[in-house]
Amino acid sequence: MKRIITLAVVALLAAGSTKASEDVKIGKQNISVKDGLMTPEALWAMGRIGGCSASPDGSKIVYQVGYYSVKHNKSHQVLYIMNADGSNQTLLTKSDKNETDAAWIDAETIAYLCGGEIWTMKADGTNRRQLSKTDGKVEGFKFAPDGTKVILIKSLPFHEVIKENPADLPKATGHRVTDLMYRHWDHYVESIQHPFVADVTPDGIGGGSDILEGEPYECPMEPFGGIEQLAWSPDSKTIAYTCRKKTGLAYSISTDSDIYLYNIGTRTTRNLCKPADYVAPKVDPTITLAVQAVNAPENLKNNVGYDQNPQFSPDGTMIAWQSMARDGYEADLNRLCICTLATGEKRYVDWKSDVEAFCWAPQTMKGRKAVKAKPADPQLYFLSVWHGCCNMYYANHKGEIRQLATEEWADWTSLQPANDGQKILATRQSLSAPTDIYMVSLPQKKQKLANVQQLTQENKHIMDQLSLGKMQQRWVKTSDGGQMLVWVMLPANYEEGKKYPALLFCEGGPQSPVSQFWSYRWNFQIMAANGYVVVAPNRHGLPGFGQEWKEQISGDWAGQCMQDYLAAIDDAAQNLPFVDKDRLGCVGASFGGFSVYWLAGIHEKRFKAFIAHDGAFNLAAMYLETEENWFSNWEYDEAYWHRPQMPRAKTTYHNSPHKMVEKWDTPILCIHGEKDYRINYTQGMQAFNAARMKGLPAELLIFPDENHWVLKPQNGILWQRTFFGWLDRWLK
């Protein structure tokens, strides 16, 4: 839900892309790396691990890998299977089509998506059979525990905000827009997803019935929601789903989504978040919801914030989900809510940072029968960022929380029961290693931490050829007296006594962590391979240091966080003997791009080059250009035309980077995607035009076919070459 998704998540979403060609089969690539240094081509040759799933008996694991071809500018998603100890890794994919979203039906049968239909195969890849017949319309699925039914995600035409063009004008390309949220992320909203429930019969799967029939709401929710936003009850009688039941203007200013229970037998729906008679207070769409009645203390008990991703407890008596308290605030503390279904009572795991993902504790198995935990004793595992790492934690019914897995610098990125009652199947990455699959054995009695076993080494054949930069962790004092964690990456092939150019990395979000992410674009190791020191501060506004630290940035984009950036680069320039203080650059994307534009006006000649990707440049323009209006309302406080203005709004609009151009004096590269509807490409064009009209050296790299990210292989290579070409020109 965070405004600018973390780079780790970007990598995972790119890995899950299903837009490869159906006539080009792309597999694992062998590539020779010259001089042991990371190149863009080496990055794009890496396999990207997506989802993984353990068989019901815990003996096998099926997982997805995406491979990319720069030559064909396409990707190919394939499926592998291995034993639970990582042995006998076998490619299951047989065709040039994408095979994705693998899930176990039973201990010997795997279901998967191919060509918009559900197929099944045996665990050895044989006996392939198409189950669904929907003319290629299935976009996601989840089988009921008893195997008799399945949820199908399909898209339906939607003309609530963009009216349908006349039938006699089939080639007309105009959009007649009547309300807000007519664009989302990178597309015009002319369809929405709905969940359907279909019977599983010996003859296959039909189209099913729409559980939101007649309702103009999306489920899963745009822009990144998937099948994880729905769940089956253990008895296969109920579906929990996530939905924001709003459209148009109301949708664009609110983050209020709820968890609903749909009874299969009676076809009735119950809202778990709000009472049946709840009526939302009226709001002013041009003012932050923080000061309006919807977020009054007496109303917060109605779960008016962002609720998503429900999971039933193994015994079906409880359901848990991720929950934010306040409406309109997409970066509120992401709590873990546990609801007792019989009473509707809710409790929240008392934790100091955002819950990024979770799962219920594995059931203990005796023979083949599961021994269920007592209803009063919920036990869960969750992921959360703390001090620059996404760690794995355990929470029990007493409210006790402890870190479960390794103390190493790393990011755990997913977790689920391994289905043997004793282990967790998870994925992990770091700033020095791409995603791989791990088995986490739960600690026994006096053990403090779990045992961790790496199951895959998907990119070992490439990583073994590379000289990698070493990481350092520093704590830097901020101007307000705080302590800021700063990651420092040394150049590959670092030589003692030599000085190197350094890059200040500015994170997006504005409330996304600078954790141990692995990115296929903003990759610290490729920066190190090009001879740069990377300085990456966890400035004010980032999670993992308490909610007060994270929330400080709202309404203060150009204040404390910018002083933090300067403190981090000044510390590196003054105290790290390998940093050349006369060769400093500053780079960042999204809010990081905004940071670059702002620092360009206040850096007092610290930097010799800037690079801003998809950055906000003119905040007044962005207020009306962006599609998710709740973001600007919360961050700016109110519309720019209000008079008088609230103090934070007045400060924000006054501190827009476009008003600082008169102080720009340094070469700048601006990058933007024309399909970026979050921060419109006109922002990057304005910045570039301003730089050139001032007579500054500047370049604009614009992608007509990319959104907030750069996802196509050849565009990715062009991005990297342009990025380092610009830096080398001014810093070497």
Side-chain angles (χ1 to χ4, degrees), residues 440-459:
V440 181
S441 299
L442 307 183
Q444 303 297 316
K445 295 182 179 179
K446 296 183 180 181
Q447 283 184 301
K448 181 180 179 182
L449 296 175
N451 294 320
V452 176
Q453 178 189 3
Q454 184 171 348
L455 302 185
T456 63
Q457 297 185 69
E458 172 60 34
N459 295 297

Side-chain angles (χ1 to χ4, degrees), residues 416-710:
Q416 60 184 287
N419 295 333
D420 67 349
Q422 301 295 323
K423 301 183 186 72
I424 295 290
L425 180 63
T427 53
R428 192 177 76 177
Q429 60 184 220
S430 74
L431 286 168
S432 300
T435 300
D436 270 304
I437 301 172
Y438 292 76
M439 192 67 76
V440 181
S441 299
L442 307 183
Q444 303 297 316
K445 295 182 179 179
K446 296 183 180 181
Q447 283 184 301
K448 181 180 179 182
L449 296 175
N451 294 320
V452 176
Q453 178 189 3
Q454 184 171 348
L455 302 185
T456 63
Q457 297 185 69
E458 172 60 34
N459 295 297
K460 187 177 188 300
H461 62 297
I462 297 176
M463 298 299 292
D464 282 352
Q465 300 180 59
L466 300 176
S467 296
L468 299 179
K470 290 185 172 59
M471 287 292 304
Q472 295 182 357
Q473 184 189 72
R474 296 180 63 79
W475 288 89
V476 176
K477 188 174 182 179
T478 59
S479 62
D480 66 345
Q483 290 292 318
M484 173 175 58
L485 183 151
V486 180
W487 297 115
V488 177
M489 175 81 74
L490 274 64
N493 296 335
Y494 167 77
E495 296 179 24
E496 193 75 31
K498 186 175 179 181
K499 286 186 178 292
Y500 298 88
L503 303 177
L504 174 67
F505 171 76
C506 301
E507 177 61 292
Q511 290 151 305
S512 299
V514 180
S515 57
Q516 287 287 313
F517 63 85
W518 176 270
S519 170
Y520 287 92
R521 187 169 66 262
W522 291 92
N523 186 285
F524 288 6
Q525 285 295 348
I526 198 171
M527 297 178 194
N530 279 271
Y532 292 96
V533 176
V534 183
V535 179
N538 275 271
R539 43 109 178 128
H540 279 78
L542 302 190
F545 303 90
Q547 194 67 5
E548 182 179 353
W549 179 279
K550 187 176 79 167
E551 293 196 358
Q552 188 282 327
I553 197 170
S554 293
D556 189 33
W557 282 17
Q560 184 59 52
C561 63
M562 295 302 160
Q563 295 307 310
D564 291 351
Y565 280 137
L566 296 178
I569 198 64
D570 287 348
D571 169 75
Q574 296 166 13
N575 299 317
L576 298 179
F578 47 83
V579 170
D580 187 340
K581 65 182 178 60
D582 295 320
R583 293 189 291 161
L584 304 179
C586 179
V587 301
S590 198
F591 180 82
F594 164 89
S595 302
V596 169
Y597 291 143
W598 178 255
L599 290 171
I602 67 164
H603 70 111
E604 297 180 342
K605 299 189 183 301
R606 285 176 174 84
F607 301 105
K608 296 298 189 294
F610 290 103
I611 299 179
H613 179 120
D614 288 354
F617 173 72
N618 183 329
L619 298 186
M622 185 180 162
Y623 181 84
L624 295 179
E625 287 178 349
T626 194
E627 88 284 45
E628 292 180 347
N629 297 100
W630 62 73
F631 172 76
S632 297
N633 269 343
W634 194 278
E635 294 299 313
Y636 306 173
D637 265 0
E638 60 183 329
Y640 65 83
W641 59 80
H642 283 183
R643 297 292 185 275
Q645 285 187 326
M646 288 186 266
R648 293 200 326 179
K650 187 175 183 179
T651 299
T652 295
Y653 292 118
H654 175 74
N655 287 335
S656 178
H658 80 283
K659 295 184 177 182
M660 296 289 291
V661 172
E662 64 185 67
K663 297 183 179 180
W664 283 15
D665 58 7
T666 304
I668 188 166
L669 168 64
C670 306
I671 307 174
H672 228 107
E674 287 191 29
K675 295 182 71 176
D676 183 356
Y677 300 152
R678 180 113 331 151
I679 300 177
N680 280 245
Y681 72 95
T682 52
Q683 298 275 316
M685 291 176 65
Q686 289 180 63
F688 168 73
N689 293 352
R692 287 303 298 130
M693 292 181 75
K694 271 188 60 69
L696 294 175
E699 288 186 7
L700 173 66
L701 176 60
I702 193 159
F703 295 99
D705 55 346
E706 299 285 7
N707 57 33
H708 204 61
W709 306 326
V710 178

Side-chain angles (χ1 to χ4, degrees), residues 27 47 117 127 146 221 283 310 337 342 450 536 578 710:
E117 301 289 0
N127 197 25
D146 65 8
M221 297 190 303
V283 300
C337 176
F578 47 83
V710 178

Side-chain angles (χ1 to χ4, degrees), residues 255-273:
T255 59
D256 184 7
S257 59
D258 293 324
I259 305 300
Y260 295 86
L261 288 186
Y262 177 79
N263 185 292
I264 299 295
T266 63
R267 297 191 177 186
T268 55
T269 301
R270 168 189 168 197
N271 189 334
L272 290 181
C273 294

Side-chain angles (χ1 to χ4, degrees), residues 351-362:
W351 182 238
K352 56 193 175 183
S353 191
D354 296 325
V355 172
E356 303 291 346
F358 73 96
C359 70
W360 289 90

